[in-house]
């Protein structure tokens, strides 16, 4: 018995069942995410005047300043060398910005309808002050609820969020593991960032997004997202 006891005592203690891991250490290897580099188009004549410019208006071209901004970001992205695909809103200012980048990177541009800007209805081409003067009650309702559309049958932020979410899901599936430049507008970019953060709709009014700015969101196979950059304009300095 003594020998048996000694033998048992000399054996290594049996490992207890491993406790479940929590936190970052528990994450499985999900592979490379689909990374969206979100580029707001360069300036148009309406941009410095801060006029509503959506998908229901005049579809303006880039101004001289906007074309310069497009060349600056094209040069910067070429130096980084990480973008593998380019997808653009169908609106002219985005297509022109995307074309400048594509020419530098030697890539094709795919057009995606879901990346278009909000339709601002009767507010298209007006400044915020002009909308306040002409449609004050409608503006207050719009600011108070994501479900309210602009005057004259435009899109609510809730409608845009559904469109952008469907586009996001389609593109993350198509470009899993790749880095994709999405050339789009203020509302789609803010919506993608807001959804990635799980923030409420009112967060849309608390983000600054400059012309030709770059933001980035990574989407993982388990459905989680990580905001990596917001409103970077260092390439314009």
């Amino acid at each position: 018995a003594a020998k048996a006891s000694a033998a048992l005592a000399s054996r290594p203690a049996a490992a207890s069942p491993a406790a479940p891991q929590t936190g970052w250490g528990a994450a499985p290897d999900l592979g490379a995410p689909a990374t969206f580099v979100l580029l707001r188009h360069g300036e148009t004549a309406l941009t410095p005047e801060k006029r509503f410019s959506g998908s229901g208006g005049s579809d303006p071209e880039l101004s001289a300043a906007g074309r310069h901004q497009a060349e600056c970001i094209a040069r910067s992205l070429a130096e980084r060398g990480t973008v593998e695909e380019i997808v653009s809103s169908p609106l002219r200012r985005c297509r022109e910005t995307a074309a400048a980048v594509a020419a530098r990177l030697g890539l094709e541009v795919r057009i995606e309808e879901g990346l278009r800007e909000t339709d601002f209805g009767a507010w298209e081409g007006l400044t915020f002050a002009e909308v306040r003067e002409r449609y004050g009650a409608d503006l207050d309702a719009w600011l108070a609820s994501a479900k309210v559309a602009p005057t004259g049958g435009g899109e609510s932020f809730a409608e845009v969020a559904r469109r952008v979410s469907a586009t996001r899901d389609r593109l993350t599936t198509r470009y899993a593991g790749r880095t994709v430049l999405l050339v789009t507008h203020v509302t789609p970019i803010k919506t993608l960032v807001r959804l990635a953060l799980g923030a409420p709709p009112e967060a849309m009014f608390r983000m600054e997004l400059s012309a030709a700015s770059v933001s980035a969101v990574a989407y993982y196979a388990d459905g989680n997202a990580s905001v990596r950059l917001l409103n970077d304009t260092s390439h314009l300095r």
Side-chain angles (χ1 to χ4, degrees), residues 4 12 26 50 52 77 83 117 137 174:
K50 297 187 181 299
F52 283 93
L77 291 173
V83 170
E117 181 59 290
R174 180 184 300 160

Side-chain angles (χ1 to χ4, degrees), residues 190-213:
K190 288 186 175 182
T191 299
L192 288 167
V193 171
R194 176 184 77 77
L195 293 173
L197 293 172
E202 54 266 29
M204 299 277 287
F205 299 112
R206 293 173 172 81
M207 298 182 210
E208 177 68 24
L209 207 66
S210 304
S213 64

Side-chain angles (χ1 to χ4, degrees), residues 36-39 189 193 209 213-217 229-232:
F36 291 172
V37 179
L38 307 171
L39 172 60
I189 294 174
V193 171
L209 207 66
S213 64
V214 174
S215 304
V217 182
L229 190 67
L230 180 66
N231 198 41
D232 177 25

Side-chain angles (χ1 to χ4, degrees), residues 41-44 59-63 66-67 70-71 88-102 109 183:
H41 60 80
E43 286 187 9
T44 72
D59 195 14
E61 65 182 355
L62 293 179
S63 63
R67 290 191 292 274
E71 290 299 331
S88 174
S89 156
L91 298 184
R92 184 174 181 179
R93 52 199 182 271
C94 286
R95 288 188 285 107
E96 291 178 343
T97 304
V101 178
V109 177
V183 187

Side-chain angles (χ1 to χ4, degrees), residues 88-150:
S88 174
S89 156
L91 298 184
R92 184 174 181 179
R93 52 199 182 271
C94 286
R95 288 188 285 107
E96 291 178 343
T97 304
V101 178
R104 284 268 186 171
L105 272 58
L107 297 174
E108 299 287 332
V109 177
R110 181 190 294 266
I111 301 301
E112 172 55 61
E113 178 67 24
L115 293 178
R116 63 182 171 79
E117 181 59 290
T118 307
D119 181 346
F120 290 111
W123 303 352
E124 293 279 358
L126 302 180
T127 65
F128 190 89
E130 289 168 341
V131 173
R132 168 68 69 195
E133 180 181 355
R134 301 180 196 184
Y135 308 104
D138 289 351
L139 180 63
D140 287 340
W142 181 73
L143 292 171
S145 173
K147 297 180 180 180
V148 174

